[in-house]
C-alpha cells in the first residue's frame, strides 16, 4: 500500500526531490501511499547551478487486495459452533428466549476490506446494530468485500432463540368448605 524511493545523485552538489519532498542522495524518501491502480511518482534533480532541472516520472500500478475473509467473529450472546475459523463459512448458536436482540462483531483479515451484517455496513472489530431475534431459527449474513470490490466472502450464522416456556395460570378456589382434616406421618425426635 506504500513504497519508498531511494534516488542516488551522480553529482553530490545537485539536489533531488521525490513528489516535491527533498531527499538526501542515497536515502529513502518518506513512505508514498499507493492507491489501487496507476500512481505517478515524480523525481526531480536540480543541478548545482540551481537552474537546470531534470524530471523523472515513475509509474507504479498497485493491484487492489483480493482478501475478503474475516479473522474473527463474535456474538454478544451465545457461542459459535463450530469455533470461528476463517475458512469456515457456516455457524450456529443458541440463545435463551429472553434474548430478544443480538449483535455480531466481525473482524476483517485485511484493513482494506469492508464488511456488512445483514446488509448494513459495520466497521471491522465493532459490534453491528442490534438484530431482532424471533423465537426459532434466525439466519444472519455477514459479507466481507475485498478492496478490489469483486472478491466477496459470505458467512452465515443461524441463531436459534429457544421457545418461551409455557405459562401456567392458577385461579383461587372458591366454594370449598373444609370441615375436617386427617394428617398422617411420623415425627422423628
Amino acid at each position: 500500500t506504500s513504497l519508498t524511493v531511494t534516488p542516488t545523485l551522480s553529482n553530490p552538489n545537485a539536489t533531488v526531490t521525490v513528489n516535491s519532498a527533498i531527499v538526501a542522495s542515497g536515502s529513502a524518501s518518506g513512505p508514498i501511499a499507493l492507491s489501487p491502480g496507476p500512481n505517478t511518482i515524480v523525481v526531480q534533480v536540480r543541478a548545482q547551478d540551481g537552474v537546470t532541472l531534470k524530471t523523472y516520472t515513475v509509474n507504479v500500478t498497485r493491484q487492489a487486495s483480493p482478501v475478503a475473509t474475516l479473522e474473527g467473529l463474535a456474538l454478544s450472546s451465545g457461542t459459535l459452533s463450530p469455533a470461528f475459523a476463517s475458512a469456515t463459512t457456516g455457524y450456529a448458536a443458541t440463545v435463551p428466549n429472553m434474548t430478544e436482540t443480538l449483535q455480531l462483531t466481525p473482524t476483517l483479515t485485511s484493513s482494506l476490506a469492508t464488511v456488512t451484517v445483514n446488509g448494513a455496513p459495520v466497521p471491522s472489530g465493532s459490534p453491528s446494530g442490534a438484530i431482532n431475534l424471533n423465537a426459532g431459527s434466525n439466519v444472519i449474513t455477514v459479507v466481507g468485500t475485498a478492496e478490489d470490490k469483486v472478491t466477496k466472502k459470505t458467512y452465515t450464522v443461524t441463531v436459534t432463540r429457544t421457545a418461551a416456556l409455557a405459562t401456567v395460570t392458577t385461579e383461587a378456589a372458591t366454594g370449598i368448605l373444609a370441615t375436617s382434616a386427617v394428617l398422617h406421618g411420623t415425627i422423628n425426635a
Side-chain angles (χ1 to χ4, degrees):
T1 59
S2 68
L3 60 74
T4 60
V5 174
T6 304
T8 302
L9 299 170
S10 59
N11 181 339
N13 296 318
T15 59
V16 63
T17 61
V18 176
N19 282 353
S20 301
I22 296 173
V23 177
S25 178
S27 297
S29 67
I32 300 168
L34 299 176
S35 300
N39 294 266
T40 301
I41 300 169
V42 178
V43 178
Q44 290 186 316
V45 178
R46 187 165 303 276
Q48 179 179 354
D49 66 11
V51 177
T52 307
L53 184 67
K54 176 75 175 176
T55 300
Y56 301 89
T57 302
V58 179
N59 294 310
V60 178
T61 301
R62 181 172 88 68
Q63 298 297 318
S65 170
V67 177
T69 56
L70 297 180
E71 69 178 18
L73 183 61
L75 307 178
S76 61
S77 180
T79 302
L80 286 177
S81 178
F84 183 78
S86 187
T88 303
T89 59
Y91 298 91
T94 300
V95 296
N97 182 265
M98 68 175 135
T99 304
E100 297 178 349
T101 64
L102 183 74
Q103 292 177 299
L104 269 69
T105 301
T107 303
L108 292 159
T109 303
S110 169
S111 64
L112 303 173
T114 59
V115 65
T116 61
V117 175
N118 280 354
V122 176
S124 178
S126 298
S128 68
I131 300 165
N132 292 323
L133 298 176
N134 297 315
S137 181
N138 298 268
V139 177
I140 301 170
T141 304
V142 180
V143 179
T145 302
E147 181 189 31
D148 67 10
K149 307 294 186 226
V150 175
T151 308
K152 295 182 185 292
K153 183 81 169 191
T154 301
Y155 298 84
T156 56
V157 181
T158 302
V159 178
T160 301
R161 180 179 171 202
T162 59
L165 297 176
T167 304
V168 177
T169 57
T170 59
E171 295 183 22
T174 59
I176 298 175
L177 179 61
T179 56
S180 67
V182 177
L183 191 58
H184 296 281
T186 57
I187 298 176
N188 295 327

